Amino acid sequence: MPAGADHLMNTYLRGPLLLVKGHGVRVEDQAGRSYLDFVGGVAVNTLGHCHPHVVEAVKQQVERLIHTSNLYYNEPQLRLAEALVRCSFADQVFFCNSGAEATEAAIKLTRKWAKHHRGPDADEILTMEGSFHGRTMGALSATGQPRLQQGFEPLLPGFRHLSYDDLAAAEEAIGPRTIAIIVEPIQGESGVRLPHPGYLAGLRRLCTERNVLLIFDEVQTGIGRTGRLFAYEHEGIQPDIMTLAKGLGGGLPIGAMLAIRSVADTFTPGSHASTFGGNPLVCAAALATLETIRSEGLLPLCHEMGDYLLGKLQILRSRRSIITDVRGKGLLVGIELLTAGRPVVEACQAEGLLINVTAERVLRLMPPLIVTRHEIDEAVTIIDRVLSAIDS
């Protein structure tokens, strides 16, 4: 293990790899060995490592103003809020530092809205089995994975978990106490699970009919990951609240909770806050990220490269019986195996490719939006070589 590792709390299943440098789709360890990075900071490095537009924006901002209290306005924050509103359904934005914090903000806003619009007894939020919304206590309570909740009881009350991609279950579950449904357009942490077409639109219809808020957790799917800026766009619908983080800052930590005005207006001074939320430095990086996605045409490129990657993996599936399914949208792709995925991840790392495993048997690939066909070919070749040794 690297020097200093003993001083870190044991909260991650890390290997001994120590990364020191990154550029584009590649990273380098302390020994100078290069790796093709298809983890992408877990869908964070939207533009790859150290994209020159993000680097330049951060350099300029760090010399001007790094942090101010939210008792005052700062220019990058105002510009970023305006940009997010302009390109989404939302009217207002709350900035924080992570996806979990964005979830907490959404829970608080929903509860406060309900007190004004639904009465004191309405407090139930419906969420999905297999979902992942973060590891803080509210977000963990919303998460539909009991194994992650064990040891942290009592959880926050007021959540009920339903089958994902089951519209009938949602329709039956909505009752007089229900105030919101929170759902991921794609369940990334549960193995890149995609709902059937029409499911999200059906939830939108139900929520509208029953005066229930619809919250989309787009922490992993947002900012171009699926080939659209936001995954909800694929079904031509809009939520009432949306959470963002991961890819928004181009590698810097930022989260956001967006909402329509009639819901957002429920918050008043003192309702919620975040000391570092929306500070000038991270907002400058986020602005550079959004502008680069637009100016370099990365959304259609993501769609194109995602189709190319899925096509290559489907061919691989036809040749490797160890693969039971290949699925995804854009550049969020899962390869489901008959066997445990961690040994495959470790073998790929030894071959110079970084991927990760989720739901124990699903290899998850999240390359940056700038990935090329050549880099996809290289990654698939390594995966094929590793699986051939297991599948033979």
Side-chain angles (χ1 to χ4, degrees):
M1 289 295 177
D6 288 346
H7 301 297
L8 294 174
M9 289 192 184
N10 188 28
T11 56
Y12 301 97
L13 189 58
R14 292 185 175 101
L17 188 62
L18 173 60
L19 300 177
V20 298
K21 187 188 302 183
H23 182 75
V25 191
R26 298 184 187 274
V27 289
E28 190 175 301
D29 66 16
Q30 61 179 350
R33 186 182 181 193
S34 177
Y35 301 82
L36 194 60
D37 184 6
F38 271 46
V39 175
V42 191
V44 165
N45 297 314
T46 312
L47 305 178
H49 294 276
C50 299
H51 191 283
H53 293 172
V54 175
V55 170
E56 183 58 30
V58 170
K59 281 182 176 179
Q60 290 185 15
Q61 189 60 48
V62 81
E63 292 177 346
R64 294 182 60 193
L65 188 66
I66 297 176
H67 177 74
T68 64
S69 166
N70 276 307
L71 295 173
Y72 318 102
Y73 294 109
N74 72 76
E75 184 183 4
Q77 184 186 91
L78 293 172
R79 290 174 55 209
L80 180 58
E82 182 181 28
L84 288 172
V85 166
R86 190 168 56 245
C87 65
S88 77
F89 71 96
D91 299 304
Q92 293 187 330
V93 183
F94 172 82
F95 289 114
C96 50
N97 308 288
S98 68
E101 289 183 46
T103 300
E104 297 285 348
I107 292 169
K108 287 184 67 176
L109 179 61
T110 300
R111 291 272 172 86
K112 204 163 193 295
W113 173 86
K115 294 296 183 290
H116 286 79
H117 296 273
R118 295 291 308 280
D121 296 328
D123 60 4
E124 179 183 69
I125 298 175
L126 302 179
T127 182
M128 305 301 157
E129 294 172 355
S131 61
F132 182 83
H133 299 292
R135 297 180 186 271
T136 51
M137 286 305 294
L140 185 64
S141 301
T143 292
Q145 298 190 50
R147 67 181 182 84
L148 300 179
Q149 299 167 331
Q150 291 174 2
F152 301 107
E153 301 87 351
L155 300 172
L156 189 70
F159 295 94
R160 185 148 56 103
H161 298 94
L162 315 175
S163 297
Y164 183 63
D165 196 21
D166 187 341
L167 195 58
E171 186 167 11
E172 183 179 354
I174 296 175
R177 290 184 54 206
T178 308
I179 60 175
I181 296 176
I182 182 169
V183 62
E184 298 159 278
I186 299 173
Q187 288 191 337
E189 297 297 325
S190 283
V192 192
R193 297 175 62 201
L194 285 74
H196 286 90
Y199 171 66
L200 298 177
L203 291 180
R204 174 68 278 175
R205 175 183 56 79
L206 285 174
C207 289
T208 300
E209 292 174 353
R210 308 286 186 89
N211 192 26
V212 167
L213 299 183
L214 179 60
I215 307 169
F216 281 169
D217 180 337
E218 293 236 26
V219 169
Q220 189 162 141
T221 56
I223 317 301
R225 177 57 48 187
T226 67
R228 297 284 185 92
L229 196 59
F230 309 112
Y232 72 76
E233 297 178 77
H234 290 286
E235 290 219 9
I237 57 170
Q238 298 179 344
D240 301 299
I241 299 173
M242 177 173 66
T243 57
L244 297 174
K246 289 191 180 292
L248 178 57
L252 272 69
I254 183 173
M257 187 266 293
L258 288 68
I260 59 174
R261 188 174 301 278
S262 60
V263 177
D265 282 348
T266 307
F267 268 177
T268 55
S271 296
H272 199 47
S274 174
T275 297
F276 294 103
N279 74 71
L281 188 62
V282 298
C283 287
L287 281 164
T289 300
L290 289 174
E291 173 56 26
T292 301
I293 289 173
R294 185 199 63 80
S295 65
E296 297 190 0
L298 295 184
L299 294 180
L301 183 63
C302 174
H303 179 77
E304 178 186 343
M305 290 299 102
D307 284 351
Y308 183 73
L309 175 58
L310 282 168
K312 297 285 289 189
L313 292 174
Q314 291 289 4
I315 294 171
L316 183 59
R317 178 189 180 189
S318 69
R319 295 171 38 231
R320 300 293 173 203
S321 60
I322 193 174
I323 300 177
T324 62
D325 194 19
V326 171
R327 54 185 180 263
K329 188 178 286 290
L331 290 170
L332 176 58
V333 175
I335 308 168
E336 187 165 354
L337 305 177
L338 284 171
T339 187
R342 181 153 297 281
V344 178
V345 170
E346 293 171 351
C348 284
Q349 179 177 309
E351 294 280 342
L353 172 66
L354 304 184
I355 59 175
N356 87 326
V357 60
T358 185
E360 297 185 356
R361 295 186 296 109
V362 180
L363 306 178
R364 183 171 47 169
L365 281 58
M366 301 163 285
L369 274 55
I370 61 168
V371 71
T372 65
R373 289 174 182 261
H374 173 74
E375 289 158 341
I376 289 172
D377 289 344
E378 184 180 347
V380 173
T381 297
I382 292 173
I383 294 170
D384 185 22
R385 188 159 60 240
V386 168
L387 292 182
S388 68
I390 300 173
D391 204 23
S392 57

